[in-house]
């Protein structure tokens, strides 16, 4: 009953406001739900994983975050600038090509470095075990970013908000399933 009243009040507010306000509200509410999912799932995840596993995951996440910025050379930021409709698609394909080149370069350079070097251990884990997973994470993140900017260009805000919620739920499911491995 309370949810229906809240929904009716929000609909009244949205009918009075502009489309920009509606789009901003839609994106922020999806971010709120993503944070809520993360907050509610954290007690379960902390019971499943050890502190060592969290440390490895934090290292993986930070490496992916740093490398993904450079993987497409930030060309995805240029998707919203052109006036015609063909140039943004060319930029998206350019981002994908640069991403593949960057991921292959990362994979082979780290593999060669770890083969030739004595610095093969990070927290008693071989770097070769994680380079494949890091490359896959970089590719997934690098594909998502240009497509997100393309959706912003074509004002697909509903799609973006649903995509962020699905991404959060999918990440939670993968996290809960992968504790066995």
């Amino acid at each position: 009953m309370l949810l229906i009243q809240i929904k009716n009040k929000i609909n009244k507010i949205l009918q009075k406001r502009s489309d920009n306000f509606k789009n901003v509200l839609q994106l922020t509410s999806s971010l709120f739900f993503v944070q809520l999912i993360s907050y509610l799932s954290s007690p379960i995840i902390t019971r499943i994983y050890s502190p060592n596993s969290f440390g490895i995951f934090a290292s993986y996440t930070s490496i992916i975050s740093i490398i993904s910025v450079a993987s497409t050379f930030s060309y995805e930021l240029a998707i919203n600038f052109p006036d015609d409709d063909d140039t943004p698609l060319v930029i998206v394909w350019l981002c994908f090509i640069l991403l593949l080149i960057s991921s292959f370069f990362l994979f082979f350079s780290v593999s060669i470095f770890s083969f030739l070097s004595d610095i093969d251990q990070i927290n008693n884990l071989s770097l070769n075990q994680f380079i494949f997973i890091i490359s896959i994470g970089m590719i997934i993140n690098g594909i998502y970013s240009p497509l997100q900017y393309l959706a912003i260009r074509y004002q697909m805000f509903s799609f973006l908000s649903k995509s962020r919620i699905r991404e959060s739920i999918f990440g939670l499911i993968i996290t809960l399933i992968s504790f066995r491995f």
Side-chain angles (χ1 to χ4, degrees), residues 77-88:
L77 298 175
I79 290 173
N80 291 324
F81 293 127
D83 291 332
D84 62 338
D85 285 338
D86 293 334
T87 307

Side-chain angles (χ1 to χ4, degrees), residues 43-104:
I44 299 168
I45 294 172
T46 55
R47 301 286 185 254
I48 293 174
Y49 291 103
S50 68
N52 187 29
S53 298
F54 270 114
I56 292 170
F57 180 70
S59 298
Y60 169 77
T61 305
S62 63
I63 289 170
I64 292 296
S65 299
I66 292 168
I67 292 176
S68 293
V69 171
S71 67
T72 59
F73 297 95
S74 295
Y75 273 103
E76 69 268 10
L77 298 175
I79 290 173
N80 291 324
F81 293 127
D83 291 332
D84 62 338
D85 285 338
D86 293 334
T87 307
L89 297 176
V90 171
I91 294 172
V92 168
W93 281 107
L94 175 65
C95 288
F96 291 160
I97 292 168
L98 290 172
L99 174 68
L100 288 175
I101 292 170
S102 299
S103 64
F104 284 127

Side-chain angles (χ1 to χ4, degrees), residues 125-170:
L125 298 169
S126 176
L127 187 61
N128 289 330
Q129 291 175 324
F130 293 106
I131 189 60
F132 186 70
I133 298 171
I134 289 172
S135 296
I136 289 174
M138 186 175 90
I139 289 172
I140 290 171
N141 199 6
I143 288 173
Y144 184 73
S145 183
L147 293 178
Q148 183 178 1
Y149 280 98
L150 192 65
I152 290 171
R153 176 182 172 81
Y154 293 116
Q155 297 179 354
M156 299 170 64
F157 299 112
S158 174
F159 175 76
L160 273 174
S161 62
K162 291 175 186 175
S163 170
R164 287 183 177 161
I165 292 172
R166 286 183 193 129
E167 176 188 1
S168 176
I169 292 171
F170 181 71

